[in-house]
């Protein structure tokens, strides 16, 4: 049995339908919650001048895009498994970029909190709106590098006719050369090392400030920033669980071969869907400013809708 056959999911109709309903339903819920945050951000100018909210909304938009592409690829494995290689490479490039953007953005947000707490006098000069958008462009460009390398390698290794053929759209099938495997190991090791070093450094620096802060206000701000960076670390741990998914598959599937599809389904939920729930939790619920404007904006719009409907009737 070749690798394509192994990755094909031989579920019966009821099981396949149930899994897709669960995945699509969770994706819709996440997109709806994150969509509320995006609408609140763009409709309230009070957020537009603060770098922390600009970086956060970039993370939210990135998560929405990642969920859309990830769920599309998942559904395609059932509904339309073989697609054009060029289309597949485009989807995989977007998925890879958004996946790499998440830890990079978390590191950027941690640095912003570090500057706000440890260098408060320089925060407004360093974390300007312009510099924040420049950082976002840098994050997206850096996140796209692994995907571009994948495409460059496959372009050099495959004939041009390959891009007009059909393929089962999974990275392990499309990017199946030894160069791709080496690239994946190197890039993930470099990216994650930089992100973890950044998170650990900023956490302990903010922790130190929280302990030595003289004023209660600054101490509370430092403690809140420390807790936020700690939550970033927890979210990053969940994102990194996708690295151990193949190991979990190799360990569990031989013992439970009849439940192979259930194991892969659970791993997908754990490594792709669950981490996306944490972004609204970290800022959307913990941040009172966001909660207040979300309630205000959507409650006002609900009132307007009710008034319009009453006039229509």
């Amino acid at each position: 049995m070749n690798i394509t056959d192994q990755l094909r999911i031989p579920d019966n109709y009821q099981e396949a339908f149930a899994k897709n309903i669960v995945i699509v339903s969770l994706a819709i819920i996440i997109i709806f919650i994150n969509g509320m945050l995006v609408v609140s951000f763009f409709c309230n100018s009070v957020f537009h001048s603060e770098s922390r909210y600009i970086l956060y909304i970039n993370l939210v938009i990135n998560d929405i895009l990642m969920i859309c592409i990830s769920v599309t690829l998942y559904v395609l494995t059932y509904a339309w498994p073989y697609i054009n290689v060029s289309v597949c490479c485009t989807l995989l490039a977007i998925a890879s970029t958004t996946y790499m953007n998440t830890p990079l953005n978390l590191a950027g947000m941690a640095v912003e909190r570090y500057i706000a707490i440890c260098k408060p006098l320089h925060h407004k000069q360093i974390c300007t709106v312009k510099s924040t958008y420049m950082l976002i462009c840098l994050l997206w460009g850096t996140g796209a590098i692994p995907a571009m390398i994948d495409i460059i390698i496959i372009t050099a290794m495959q004939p041009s006719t390959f891009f007009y053929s059909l393929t089962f759209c999974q990275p392990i099938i499309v990017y199946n050369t030894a160069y791709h495997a080496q690239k994946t190991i190197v890039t993930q090791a470099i990216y994650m090392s930089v992100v973890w070093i950044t998170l650990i450094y900023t956490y302990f620096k903010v922790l130190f400030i929280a302990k030595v802060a003289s004023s209660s206000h600054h101490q509370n701000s430092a403690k809140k920033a420390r807790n936020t960076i700690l939550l970033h670390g927890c979210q990053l741990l969940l994102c990194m669980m996708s690295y151990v998914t193949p190991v979990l598959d190799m360990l569990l599937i031989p013992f439970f071969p009849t439940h192979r599809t259930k194991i892969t389904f659970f791993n997908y939920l754990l490594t792709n869907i669950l981490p996306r729930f944490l972004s609204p939790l970290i800022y959307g619920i913990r941040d009172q400013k966001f909660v207040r404007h979300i309630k205000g904006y959507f409650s006002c719009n609900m009132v307007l809708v009710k008034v319009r409907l009453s006039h229509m009737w």
Side-chain angles (χ1 to χ4, degrees):
M1 181 182 293
N2 59 38
I3 191 170
T4 304
D5 294 331
Q6 292 176 1
L7 288 174
R8 287 300 304 271
I9 307 176
D11 293 333
N12 56 47
Y13 176 79
Q14 291 79 7
E15 187 174 351
F17 181 77
K19 288 181 178 178
N20 280 273
I21 286 295
V22 170
I23 292 296
V24 173
S25 299
L26 289 174
I28 291 174
I29 293 172
I30 295 173
I31 292 172
F32 176 76
I33 296 173
N34 285 340
M36 291 176 61
L37 297 173
V38 173
V39 170
S40 298
F41 174 85
F42 284 106
C43 292
N44 292 279
S45 59
V46 66
F47 297 120
H48 300 174
S49 59
E50 296 191 40
S51 57
R52 61 180 298 193
Y53 293 112
I54 298 173
L55 286 171
Y56 171 64
I57 214 64
N58 177 64
L59 179 65
V60 172
I61 294 173
N62 181 81
D63 283 351
I64 291 174
L65 185 57
M66 180 181 177
I67 283 290
C68 290
I69 297 298
S70 176
V71 172
T72 298
L73 289 172
Y74 186 88
V75 173
L76 282 177
T77 60
Y78 290 92
W80 194 5
Y82 293 97
I83 65 175
N84 181 268
V85 171
S86 298
V87 175
C88 177
C89 287
T90 302
L91 292 175
L92 292 179
I94 299 174
S96 172
T97 301
T98 53
Y99 176 78
M100 298 304 297
N101 276 351
T102 297
L104 294 174
N105 207 102
L106 291 174
M109 294 168 71
V111 171
E112 188 277 331
R113 286 294 82 200
Y114 161 76
I115 296 174
I117 300 302
C118 300
K119 301 180 182 297
L121 298 179
H122 300 89
H123 182 258
K124 289 186 177 180
Q125 288 76 27
I126 298 174
C127 300
T128 63
V129 173
K130 182 179 179 180
S131 64
T132 303
Y133 281 112
M134 289 176 63
L135 175 61
I136 289 174
C137 292
L138 178 63
L139 294 177
W140 277 88
T142 306
I145 291 175
M148 295 300 102
I149 294 175
D150 280 331
I151 293 176
I152 291 172
I153 293 174
I154 199 174
T155 302
M157 299 291 292
Q158 298 287 355
S160 59
T161 54
F162 174 74
F163 293 95
Y164 298 98
S165 61
L166 300 178
T167 185
F168 189 71
C169 194
Q170 293 291 328
I172 195 173
I173 294 176
V174 180
Y175 306 136
N176 57 3
T177 68
Y179 298 105
H180 286 104
Q182 294 170 3
K183 183 276 315 178
T184 300
I185 294 173
V186 172
T187 55
Q188 288 182 348
I190 294 174
Y191 279 51
M192 290 305 162
S193 296
V194 171
V195 170
W196 274 116
I197 290 172
T198 303
L199 288 179
I200 293 171
Y201 177 80
T202 54
Y203 176 80
F204 281 105
K205 291 293 287 187
V206 172
L207 178 64
F208 176 76
I209 292 295
K211 288 184 177 180
V212 302
S214 55
S215 65
S216 59
H217 174 72
H218 191 63
Q219 190 176 46
N220 291 334
S221 299
K223 287 182 177 179
K224 188 174 181 180
R226 181 198 63 192
N227 293 335
T228 300
I229 295 173
L230 187 60
L231 284 173
H232 289 339
C234 294
Q235 185 176 9
L236 185 59
L237 277 175
L238 285 174
C239 294
M240 289 183 67
M241 288 188 69
S242 60
Y243 297 156
V244 301
T245 298
V247 179
L248 291 176
D249 289 343
M250 287 188 294
L251 291 175
L252 296 176
I253 290 175
F255 292 99
F256 309 99
T258 57
H259 299 289
R260 181 176 65 85
T261 58
K262 293 182 176 64
I263 292 172
T264 55
F265 174 72
F266 175 77
N267 285 339
Y268 177 78
L269 285 177
L270 190 64
T271 60
N272 287 272
I273 302 299
L274 182 59
R276 308 283 84 78
F277 273 114
L278 283 182
S279 292
L281 176 64
I282 292 175
Y283 275 95
I285 296 177
R286 289 180 68 247
D287 192 288
Q288 294 302 313
K289 190 174 182 179
F290 240 125
V291 172
R292 184 170 64 254
H293 282 85
I294 289 174
K295 289 181 179 179
Y297 178 79
F298 284 96
S299 60
C300 289
N301 277 274
M302 288 298 295
V303 171
L304 289 175
V305 170
K306 289 180 180 179
V307 170
R308 289 175 181 175
L309 287 175
S310 64
H311 285 310
M312 290 176 62
W313 292 99

